[in-house]
Amino acid sequence: MKITLDDVAKEAGVSRATVDRVLNKRGNVKEATVDRVFRALYSTRYLIEPEDTEKPPSSYIFDFVFPVAKTKYFETFAEEIKNFGKIFASMKAEVRVHTVVGFDPQVLADKLLEVGENTDGIAFVALDHPIVRDAVRNLSDQGIGVISLVSDISSQERLAYVGIDNRSAGRTAGLLMGRFLTASERKKVAVFVGSHSYRGHEEREAGFKSMIRERFPRFRVLEMPEVLDDDAKSLEHARELLAEEKDLACIYNVGGGTLGIAQALEESGHQDDIVFVAHELNDATRRLLVNGTLDAVINQDIKQEVYSAVDILLNYKLGDELMLGVQQPKVEIYLSENIY
């Protein structure tokens, strides 16, 4: 079904004439309204056209840098950027995607500096490491805006962080787990971490543990080896865990590797009696919610994060207030009953 301007106007809560003024740059529209219209154009996919459609010239080049993860999670970000290239072009921005080997700070820092030779701004999934922070400082000194995405970095030079509050996400997971286990007599909960190189993973783990200490002190937290967002590694460690711990009540996975843990639960027959909470709603985790292996998924809105990152970089280049019209994504909770 073809999307019309009336559909966009309804989504944005404005008149068709207002949408027309924004699209044709006729002015006399408040910045907040312009932002609402562009978000509606984004969400309704009004501006998406075939790849061979001629695109208007862009004034700025922005680059996204993602790690290559075995879970393929970040491929979803790249897909969204490609899908909405026409919208970004209408905002006078060409957006490019780069990938690097995951969990290697030197490789990431080198890629940031390489991209920085020809860009107006960079958004990247940060490893919180001195080498990476030094690269961000170098780029900032050149006047290049840098944004951390999904996982933050402890650098004063980065413009902003775009992503959910990861400590809040971890506390949310802890609260869900505790409420799920009100009647359980089991005492142990296991936490799987992708990598402590990701500040976001550390924050989720810390938030989870703080909630357990405050609200559910009867549980004992078991710390698992890093799985590096790898399903094979998480499968191996989950098998060992399930074989050794007979008093296990819950598993919380802060990052990637959810499919491996799910496989171990299903193989052992514990998918119905051990609570499993993980992150990111996608086709695979939807299936696991439906069949009951996963009890809850903590999610973040990828589309909103991509759009917000471009918005901030554009505001920086235009000299506007950085967060003008930008909304940070909220921690979302999905259960089997609200995934469609």
Side-chain angles (χ1 to χ4, degrees), residues 218-234:
R218 68 189 180 90
F219 292 108
R220 178 180 147 212
V221 178
L222 305 175
E223 298 186 22
M224 303 299 297
E226 292 183 337
V227 298
L228 302 179
D229 291 347
D230 186 326
D231 286 319
K233 287 183 182 294
S234 65

Side-chain angles (χ1 to χ4, degrees), residues 95 192 197 222 291 312:
V95 182
F192 282 72
S197 298
L222 305 175
N291 71 20
I312 293 170

